[in-house]
Amino acid sequence: MCYSSIMFEILKQTDGVRGSFVRLIRLGADDLTVLIRSAGNGRIQHRYVGPDSSKAEEVFNLESERILRHIDLQREAYR
């Protein structure tokens, strides 16, 4: 049995407010996952896990848009 010394690699990340983020992560050689942490409850959640890179990118982009939209709404509230 052979194990790689790299457990995961963060490929892309979008940061939001109060510790929120979206991350596209490569798990080992074949799988990808999209993790999110919301500003509200701070829990980390999976939005996608699997080998389909186009689906992982799609989910990452959608969740990144949501976080960036939240940042824009907060900026408008402080004006």
Side-chain angles (χ1 to χ4, degrees):
M1 202 176 266
C2 179
Y3 293 101
S4 172
S5 62
I6 299 174
M7 294 176 57
F8 66 91
E9 176 185 7
I10 299 172
L11 301 175
K12 293 183 178 183
Q13 179 169 325
T14 302
D15 293 318
V17 296
R18 297 191 325 260
S20 63
F21 63 75
V22 178
R23 291 182 181 155
L24 175 60
I25 299 172
R26 180 179 315 280
L27 302 172
D30 299 329
D31 289 323
L32 299 163
T33 187
V34 177
L35 297 178
I36 67 161
R37 182 168 66 186
S38 64
N41 64 16
R43 292 183 179 172
I44 294 177
Q45 302 172 1
H46 289 90
R47 287 294 191 243
Y48 174 80
V49 177
D52 187 345
S53 62
S54 61
K55 180 64 177 177
E57 287 276 345
E58 178 184 329
V59 172
F60 174 81
N61 291 335
L62 177 68
E63 295 296 336
S64 292
E65 287 175 17
R66 287 183 184 169
I67 280 191
L68 295 174
R69 194 175 322 126
H70 184 73
I71 290 171
D72 290 340
L73 290 174
Q74 284 198 334
R75 285 181 185 158
E76 288 179 21
Y78 288 115
R79 288 184 185 174

